[in-house]
Amino acid sequence: MKTDNMVFATAAAPRAASPAPEAVPGARAFARPARQKLSSKIVTALLGFLALALIAIGLTLFLSWQLEGSAGAINDTGSLRMRSYRLSLLLSDPASPQGAAAAELEAIGRTLVQLERGDPQRPLFLPPRAEIQREFNQISQSWRGAMRPAAEALLARPDTAQAAWPAFRQMTEQFVVRVDGLVRMIEHDSEHRTFWLRASQMVLLGMAICGTVSIIYLLFMLIVEPVTRLHEGMQRMTDEDFEVRLAVESEDEFGQLALGFNAMADRLQELYGNLEERVRSKTAALEEQNRELALLFDSAAFLQRPEPLEVLCEGFMERISAYFEADGGSVRVLDADRGNVHMVVHHGLSAELVESEHCLKVGDCLCGEAVEKKITVVHDLRKMDRAKNLKCHREGFVTVSIFQVRAHEQHLGVFNLHFRKAKVFSKHEEALLETLGQLLGIAVENLRLAAREREMAISEERNLVAQGLHDSIAQGLNFLNLQVQMLDASMQEERYEEVSEIVPALRAGVQESYEDVRELLLNFRSRLMKDDLIGSLQTTIDKFQRQTGIAAELSADVDGAPFPREQQLQLLFIVQEALSNIRKHALASRVEVRLEDKKDFRLTIRDNGVGFDEATLLAKKDTHVGLNIMRERAQRVEATFDVSSVPGQGTTVTLQLGQAQRRAA
């Protein structure tokens, strides 16, 4: 294949011939009619060659059919000569049977009729030439007008056959001569038709050769050459030659492919030319996103630390100021009860500005207005009236932004960013700063919740301490007060024998109160040893055994998940309170503490003391502070608490925590 047949466009020329990438949809719009054009070309050419071939084949078949008919006519016409001579011989011989002559007479008549009518099935017919038809008509008229009547006359009068036969013979000779001339005319016509048959066969052969060559050329022009051009263009495109273009030479499918190829080449050339710029742009976008994610992650991690409010706000302001390159900023917390906005931390602001705006009323200045409206605001101070004499304007700031600090739909304050150069925030940057404001709001709210939780814990512990003091020291002091009054009365009345009885009781009461105070102090100072509940319980039981002389034993079967520290402390306090009650009231000689920690948790404290009547205990449940303290501590860990006792058989305290209620550490 020559390269001249592959038409490529270079950088300039094809730009005018091929459409821009925007024209490709239009090219697709007429793609369907274009496919019909290409198919029409191919189908029209093939149908044309088929029509010519059918015509040539039909002509050949027609000539062959006519030649077969002419051959049949030659045979039947030639048989007239033989039958004429046989008829003449039969009529000349008186001894011949009349039936044979009559049969020949009828056979000649049938042959003439058959030649006149023709027989397409044999085939048999005379050529349609006028001279042949005239000659045949003359022969038929000669037969019907002369020979047949003469032959019938001879058959009717056999006695005159000898005299009339010479005339009939002469007539037969003339008839045969005319038939022989007709045969030669038919043979000449057959020769002519044979020539045309051979000629048509040669034409058919030539058409076959020319048709094959033409179809090959047509397929080459319509399919092979465009496909080759397209393949060459794709190969050059593969070699990163984006200057290649295909010439659009038709409006068929390959024309559409050329248009699409050129549009693709334009697009690839544009993309390849801008590839480095796109890569830089995408890289910059990814770096910016990474910076945003790093800021969000760093801020979220920092704000989760248990730091004071000022430290959290200071770290928050440092991070966002560095990210947005702000020249100043501040974080302000809302005091909704008094309608004030207090500045917690500041950066890049003068002492005068900080002093004047340390505490703003809601609605005052730019920040107060933003707090009142609870919206994000970015002020361009260049567009504001200088007559307002804004402090930020005097400080040299050009842009002042106010973003809200929120937590769970609760408005907690605002934070500001000040810029000495004009700053315009994109929607994405505003969304980022609003997200950071929510993170700061959640951190502030968590600090407040933690403070409230600590207050509640302290309040509850103080309540338990008060109950413990009331149950032990207050009752002991009340007893000592009564004894002192009795001592005073005895001294005044000089009943010294009563004094000798009261003084030991006072000494015992003071000692008991001292022990109660010491026990309370020890209990309040109890701490878990490295979150080891078993070790802390063992230490408490050992101390109880040393101080009271009561045998105490701890058995533990632990296989469950560890408890949080708060729950472990409550369990330890419950055991301490139970041991304290045993020391004061049980008069026991043995104590057993059993811990079963599987899926469910069960704590049992059993003694062999004097026990008590449960009905009496129920009647005094509101005044029995020790049991109430243990029950309240059990409720804190969502456990069930039960006390069972029989007089003279000891007491059992049971605490049980189901798997659904326990919390993992």
Side-chain angles (χ1 to χ4, degrees), residues 230-255:
L230 183 61
H231 179 265
E232 291 291 333
M234 292 176 64
Q235 187 63 39
R236 290 175 59 180
M237 189 75 70
T238 304
D239 297 336
E240 297 184 1
D241 182 7
F242 299 111
E243 299 289 337
V244 61
R245 299 294 185 276
L246 299 181
V248 182
E249 297 179 337
S250 63
E251 295 183 356
D252 55 17
E253 282 87 341
F254 288 105

Side-chain angles (χ1 to χ4, degrees), residues 56 143 292 314 488 569 594:
W143 168 258
E292 291 179 5
E314 184 68 30
D488 182 55
L569 279 172
R594 180 170 181 78

Side-chain angles (χ1 to χ4, degrees), residues 325-336:
E325 298 180 355
D327 299 303
S330 63
V331 177
R332 304 170 188 263
V333 176
L334 173 64
D335 183 0

Side-chain angles (χ1 to χ4, degrees), residues 284-336:
L286 288 175
E287 290 177 353
E288 184 65 23
Q289 291 178 359
N290 289 335
R291 288 184 65 234
E292 291 179 5
L293 292 174
L295 174 63
L296 286 171
F297 179 80
D298 185 29
S299 300
F302 174 75
L303 293 174
Q304 288 180 357
R305 298 178 183 177
E307 300 287 350
L309 177 62
E310 291 77 7
V311 176
L312 291 179
C313 293
E314 184 68 30
F316 174 81
M317 182 54 59
E318 288 178 359
R319 284 163 174 78
I320 63 172
S321 297
Y323 182 87
F324 289 97
E325 298 180 355
D327 299 303
S330 63
V331 177
R332 304 170 188 263
V333 176
L334 173 64
D335 183 0

